[in-house]
Amino acid sequence: MSALTPRPATEVAPGAVHVPGWLTPEQQRELVAACRSWAAGPVPIRRTRLPRGGVMSVQTVCIGWHWQPYKYTRTAGDVNGERVAPFPGWMVQLGRRALLQAYGDQQAADGYTPDTALINFYDGQARLGMHQDKDERSTAPVVSLSIGDTCAFRVGNTETRTKPYTDIELASGDLFVFGGPSRYVYHGVPKVYEGTADPACGLRSGRLNITMRVTGLTDPEEAQ
Ligand code: SIN
Ligand code: MN
C-alpha cells in the first residue's frame, strides 16, 4: 500500500486494535537506538532455544524480566546468567499512551504499568508460529510496536492455532494492542516482506517488534 494512503485504525477483533503509523519516524529511530543498546547486553540478543531442541528463527532480547520458554526470571539463566536491563520509566509512559490511543480509556491507561518487553528482531527468513502469550500472571493488555520491514501478522482465535484467523499487515510505526476478549488470541508472524522499510525508521533491513507486557510477578529480592 502506498505510504501516501492513510490506513485507518481498526478493531480487528474485540479488544484487538491496530493503529497504523502511530510512531513518528523520530520515535522509531529513538526506539531502534534503545533496542540496539539492549541487544548488546547485559544479556545479548540471541535465538531462543526451545525445550524440545529447536531454535527460534526470531532473535530476542528482553528488558525488565527475561522470558524463556515458558517463564519469566530476572536473570537470563539460559544465556549468560546476567540480570536483564531495567524496564525504563519512559517506556511505561509510552505503553500508557499506546493503551489510551487504542482504547480511549484514560483510567485503564493510567493503571497500565508494563514491567517487561520482548524485543524481537526478524530477518527476511524469520517467522513466528501461532502461539498465545500466556506466561504472564496478569490479564493486562499486550502493547506491540513494529519498526522496519512490513510483516503479515495473523490474529487468530482463543481456542485453536488454526482458522478462523485474520491476516493484517504491520508496517513500521504501527501499534497493535490486544487485551480484553483478545488477550489470549493465538497470533503469529507468517511472513516478513524484505526490503519494505523506509530507512528513515532507523533500520536498514529486517523487522523489530517490541511487545510490552505486565508479568504480574514480584521479585522476592525487591519485596519490602
Ligand atoms: C510476539 O508475538 O511476541 C511478537 C509479535 C510480533 O512480532 O508482531
Ligand atoms: Mn506473542
Side-chain angles (χ1 to χ4, degrees):
M1 190 177 291
S2 159
L4 297 174
T5 312
R7 294 170 301 144
T10 44
E11 189 166 31
V12 180
V17 179
H18 176 206
V19 186
W22 186 65
L23 294 166
T24 64
E26 188 182 355
Q27 288 173 316
Q28 294 173 53
R29 286 194 295 273
E30 285 170 6
L31 282 168
V32 169
C35 291
R36 278 194 210 284
S37 136
W38 289 320
V43 179
I45 195 165
R46 88 295 177 209
R47 292 187 163 88
T48 303
R49 291 187 177 282
L50 297 168
R52 288 189 189 168
V55 178
M56 291 176 73
S57 57
V58 167
Q59 299 172 60
T60 306
V61 62
C62 306
I63 56 171
W65 290 84
H66 176 76
W67 177 82
Q68 62 176 288
Y70 295 97
K71 62 180 180 184
Y72 286 99
T73 50
R74 283 293 198 202
T75 53
D78 62 332
V79 186
N80 62 358
E82 294 292 325
R83 189 185 171 101
V84 294
F87 195 94
W90 60 262
M91 202 175 250
V92 175
Q93 298 305 327
L94 186 62
R96 288 181 180 163
R97 288 200 294 108
L99 216 66
L100 182 61
Q101 176 73 49
Y103 294 152
D105 181 339
Q106 186 72 58
Q107 219 182 330
D110 291 346
Y112 186 62
T113 308
D115 62 346
T116 189
L118 272 65
I119 298 158
N120 284 334
F121 179 76
Y122 298 73
D123 61 24
Q125 279 67 53
R127 307 276 179 271
L128 189 63
M130 292 295 274
H131 67 279
Q132 293 170 299
D133 291 356
K134 58 179 185 186
D135 296 327
E136 301 77 26
R137 292 191 200 154
S138 160
T139 58
V142 176
V143 166
S144 151
L145 300 172
S146 295
I147 302 174
D149 285 341
T150 298
C151 76
F153 184 72
R154 184 160 289 172
V155 185
N157 60 84
T158 54
E159 306 302 319
T160 74
R161 40 169 55 84
T162 58
K163 287 181 179 174
Y165 49 68
T166 306
D167 284 347
I168 62 171
E169 286 189 353
L170 292 182
S172 203
D174 286 11
L175 164 66
F176 186 77
V177 177
F178 53 108
S182 287
R183 174 60 180 78
Y184 295 105
V185 285
Y186 281 90
H187 56 280
V189 177
K191 176 119 189 95
V192 174
Y193 301 106
E194 271 185 288
T196 49
D198 178 347
C201 73
L203 265 191
R204 263 190 308 262
S205 66
R207 171 176 185 261
L208 198 58
N209 176 262
I210 302 168
T211 47
M212 296 181 218
R213 303 131 188 255
V214 178
T215 62
L217 297 169
T218 48
D219 189 333
E221 286 179 20
E222 291 164 21
Q224 301 294 316

